[in-house]
Amino acid sequence: DFCVTAWQSERLVMSVRIKETLFAGQSLFQEIAVVESEPFGRMLVLDGVFQTSLFDEFIYHEMIAHVALCTHPDPKRILIIGGGDGGTAREVLRHPSVEKVKMIEIDGMVVDVCKKFLPEISAALIAGSPKLEVEIGDGIQHMSQAENEYDVIIVDCSDPIGPGEWLFTKAFYQDVHRALKEDGLFVQQTE
């Protein structure tokens, strides 16, 4: 047994006892690990920061998806930027009004690792759906070209460091505004 520690701020630290490391690797963008922890079960860790766990992932994924989709009068076209673990796509696809979900994840290794080690979370990615299009690519680039296209845009990203840093800029938010339909809604994980 050993502990993984994630600094939440300079005054707050979260440490979790790890029973086993199931996967550890380096992608083009970040260090990726899946660990078996005592309190949370299997956990996804990116660059040493806890991202999700089997124990409590539903809290995050349900809130980031359902609030916007239940608020919007008729959510048909949804964009997810990030979300490589698949939990947000799983929740979005539960809404019968949704016709098309485009998920753009920059790190294909995250998708592959989650499908293998966290299938409960990435069930929608494993099962596939004619409504779901998964693209491994740059969501920022996509946003710079989209206009009046989406009812709901969900940015399910890591913290504003590393590959997620540019998802927290004024230019990106301007692109999001342009890509939304007039009654569109935007949701972002902001830590």
Side-chain angles (χ1 to χ4, degrees):
D1 287 1
F2 64 97
C3 286
V4 171
T5 300
W7 286 86
Q8 304 300 308
S9 72
E10 48 183 64
R11 295 184 182 156
L12 177 63
V13 174
M14 184 171 140
S15 290
V16 178
R17 183 167 303 282
I18 303 302
K19 295 192 284 188
E20 181 182 6
T21 299
L22 303 172
F23 176 85
Q26 177 71 45
S27 74
L28 295 174
F29 302 98
Q30 57 204 336
E31 183 181 296
I32 302 168
V34 176
V35 297
E36 184 70 42
S37 73
E38 286 187 13
F40 296 107
R42 275 175 277 138
M43 296 177 65
L44 174 65
V45 181
L46 300 178
D47 286 335
V49 179
F50 309 133
Q51 300 299 309
T52 192
S53 74
L54 290 184
F55 176 73
D56 63 357
E57 61 84 14
F58 68 94
I59 299 167
Y60 174 86
H61 291 116
E62 288 178 7
M63 290 302 294
I64 202 167
H66 297 308
V67 173
L69 274 84
C70 288
T71 301
H72 192 281
D74 192 25
K76 294 184 183 303
R77 295 185 51 81
I78 314 302
L79 174 66
I80 301 168
I81 295 179
D85 59 50
T88 299
R90 178 194 68 205
E91 297 305 317
V92 167
L93 287 166
R94 292 178 190 228
H95 290 260
S97 66
V98 170
E99 295 174 356
K100 179 71 175 173
V101 180
K102 182 171 185 124
M103 184 183 112
I104 304 174
E105 166 62 51
I106 198 164
D107 196 337
M109 185 183 279
V110 170
V111 173
D112 293 340
V113 166
C114 288
K115 285 164 70 172
K116 181 173 182 179
F117 294 100
L118 300 167
E120 301 88 343
I121 299 174
S122 61
L125 305 180
I126 295 167
S129 166
K131 294 180 178 184
L132 178 62
E133 174 189 349
V134 177
E135 177 182 320
I136 304 304
D138 187 347
I140 294 168
Q141 182 180 12
H142 175 79
M143 292 306 301
S144 70
Q145 301 165 358
E147 188 171 340
N148 194 32
E149 194 170 334
Y150 298 104
D151 297 306
V152 177
I153 296 173
I154 300 171
V155 178
D156 178 4
C157 62
S158 55
D159 297 341
I161 54 172
E165 184 175 356
W166 296 104
L167 298 170
F168 294 86
T169 64
K170 182 178 180 178
F172 177 72
Y173 293 135
Q174 289 170 329
D175 289 344
V176 166
H177 184 263
R178 190 182 62 252
L180 285 168
K181 293 181 181 177
E182 188 174 321
D183 61 352
L185 296 173
F186 170 60
V187 178
Q188 181 172 17
Q189 179 291 124
T190 58
E191 185 63 22

